[in-house]
Amino acid sequence: MWLLLSLCVFCLLGCSEGQDRATLWRGNDHSGRCQYTFTVPSPRETSCSPTVSGGPEMEGLKARLSLLEVLVARLTGGEIGGPGAGSQSQSQAGLQEALTQAMGERILLQGEKERLERDVEGLQRRMVEMRRETERLQSRPCYPQPPLVPPSIPLQDSGLRPAGGAGVLSHLVSRPGRQWDTGSLRDPAWQYGGNPVLQELKAEVTEIPAPSPEGPEDSTGCGELISIGEPVSHRKADSIAGKYGVWMQDPEAVAPYGGKMVWRIDTVGSEVRQLFGYEDMDQLSKGFPSKVLLLPEPVESTGATLYRGSLYYQRRRSRTLLRYDLASESIASRQDLPHAGFHGQFPYSWGGYTDVDLGVDEQGLWAVYSTNKAKGAIVVSQLDPHSLAVKRSWETSIRKTSVANAFVICGRLYTVASYTAPNTTINFMFDTATGQGKEVALPFRNKYRYNSMVDYNPAQRKLFAWDNFHIVSYDVRLGLQ
């Protein structure tokens, strides 16, 4: 810029083409600033008289120099520099905002990636379990069922007809040990017809009550489970928070709440702490809670239960069990469930962090879970209802992740095969009295095709369930003990 100023001064002095005796000097001044200096001899004067400095020519030159200095100042840092600096600041602010947004999106994508990796690991574990179960089933022998009637003896060609009002299958029922041959079918109670074609069979039928195929029912004792009724719907949840949940009635209620009081927890969310109370089933069906309690510590999944005036539940993201006293509205006791898996280590097949499932039956308080030592097999433990200490434990032969849910009736553990199939089964039973388990096949219905909670209530002798927003119950029948 100083070079431009000097050139302009040179032009203002009116130098002609021939006057090229101008000299340029470049150097630092006393403050260290670089300066360019042109020396141009006057074309008319041989010396500078004292009067020249105040003449009109010099004044005009000074005015021109001042104008050039103003222009140079504007070019170097004045009007041009101001707006440019503002634009640069705005650009920097925009870049910083874009960088912050990109970092936030990166954090969200990282969290989503970790969640998907956990889901993939869970699916891989389930695939391994299903593969093992398939191999086990394939290794089991298949026993052929003998036909009721040998194919070598076509009845339509025998020409048999009953005589004397005998029943059609009377000779078969009364002679279970007879051999299947042509001669044995020629019972004296039957006569041959003349026409060797199918004859019309006539018999007198007497209706008699048939014995129950499931065995006699015990309405008061504690026999094995022999059947489960159809699901009865009581209410549908109002919001997405109620897709999964748990509902309960205290089988041994104490003051200030009676046995008709119904309690409900919606378990969708990261901080599940609300416990809703209803005076009875009618108020539950209408959706009018009479009590809402805020639990001091959050609930993990759908494994809570009620017993003797206390809510028992698993604390979120831990193996800690809590006993919440309803009367004092405070935590009465807490205890870690030894070695229990939690927060997705050994859940039921539907997931939902259902690693620890608490329940009540005629014999007391139970916990259903698994451990690393058990290698994922179900462990069932009886708990002290006051201290939550483990009184006794049993390890079963069925893996927890292979079943949809479980409950205990009369000291026997039962598992549900599927949580989505509309017609599934109770597929396994383990008796803590004998320490033995066996496969069973009791029909069970998932009416709404996503059953996330199944618990037994010994006072009502019903199963309580939460099936895809719907609060339902099932009647149960027990055999003789």
Side-chain angles (χ1 to χ4, degrees), residues 121-383:
E121 291 176 0
L123 289 173
Q124 289 175 345
R125 287 197 300 268
R126 290 181 60 186
M127 288 176 62
V128 172
E129 296 300 330
M130 293 175 66
R131 190 178 299 112
R132 291 177 180 173
E133 183 68 13
T134 301
E135 293 174 355
R136 185 184 68 82
L137 292 174
Q138 289 176 347
S139 64
R140 294 177 58 185
C142 294
Y143 301 101
Q145 298 294 326
L148 291 177
V149 179
S152 60
I153 309 174
L155 288 179
Q156 63 270 22
D157 295 335
S158 63
L160 299 180
R161 61 184 180 188
V168 175
L169 298 179
S170 61
H171 66 296
L172 298 178
V173 175
S174 60
R175 296 172 176 79
R178 297 180 71 108
Q179 299 295 322
W180 290 97
D181 55 41
T182 307
S184 65
L185 287 175
R186 295 170 182 168
D187 194 278
W190 295 77
Q191 296 179 357
Y192 285 94
N195 192 358
V197 295
L198 179 63
Q199 302 294 316
E200 181 181 2
L201 301 179
K202 297 181 180 180
E204 296 179 1
V205 179
T206 303
E207 184 176 350
I208 60 173
S212 171
E214 299 148 341
E217 180 182 1
D218 185 3
S219 60
T220 57
C222 260
E224 287 190 17
L225 178 64
I226 59 176
S227 69
I228 301 170
E230 290 292 307
V232 178
S233 300
H234 301 286
R235 178 169 175 78
K236 182 179 180 181
D238 301 320
S239 65
I240 187 62
K243 181 174 177 60
Y244 319 132
V246 55
W247 72 285
M248 308 152 283
Q249 282 185 294
D250 194 337
E252 298 184 21
V254 298
Y257 304 107
K260 292 184 178 181
M261 193 80 175
V262 185
W263 300 89
R264 182 193 106 231
I265 303 175
D266 297 337
T267 59
V268 175
S270 58
E271 287 291 321
V272 177
R273 297 174 60 190
Q274 286 186 320
L275 175 64
F276 298 91
Y278 303 84
E279 291 183 355
D280 51 33
M281 291 296 296
D282 183 59
Q283 295 300 308
L284 171 69
S285 63
K286 294 177 180 178
F288 299 146
S290 60
K291 188 75 174 180
V292 180
L293 300 177
L294 186 65
L295 301 175
E297 299 186 47
V299 179
E300 182 85 305
S301 197
T302 61
T305 193
L306 270 174
Y307 188 51
R308 295 179 180 176
S310 293
L311 172 72
Y312 296 85
Y313 69 96
Q314 175 194 2
R315 188 185 184 279
R316 177 170 170 78
R317 290 182 176 271
S318 75
R319 59 171 60 94
T320 302
L321 303 182
L322 302 175
R323 179 168 74 90
Y324 176 79
D325 182 67
L326 296 176
S328 63
E329 299 182 7
S330 62
I331 299 294
S333 57
R334 68 175 63 228
Q335 183 76 252
D336 280 358
L337 188 58
H339 312 295
F342 64 94
H343 203 67
Q345 288 182 283
F346 304 109
Y348 289 129
S349 59
W350 73 271
Y353 303 125
T354 50
D355 300 75
V356 178
D357 191 7
L358 301 176
V360 175
D361 76 342
E362 291 82 357
Q363 299 180 13
L365 180 65
W366 299 88
V368 178
Y369 59 103
S370 188
T371 65
N372 287 326
K373 182 180 179 182
K375 298 180 180 179
I378 288 181
V379 176
V380 56
S381 296
Q382 192 169 20
L383 306 179

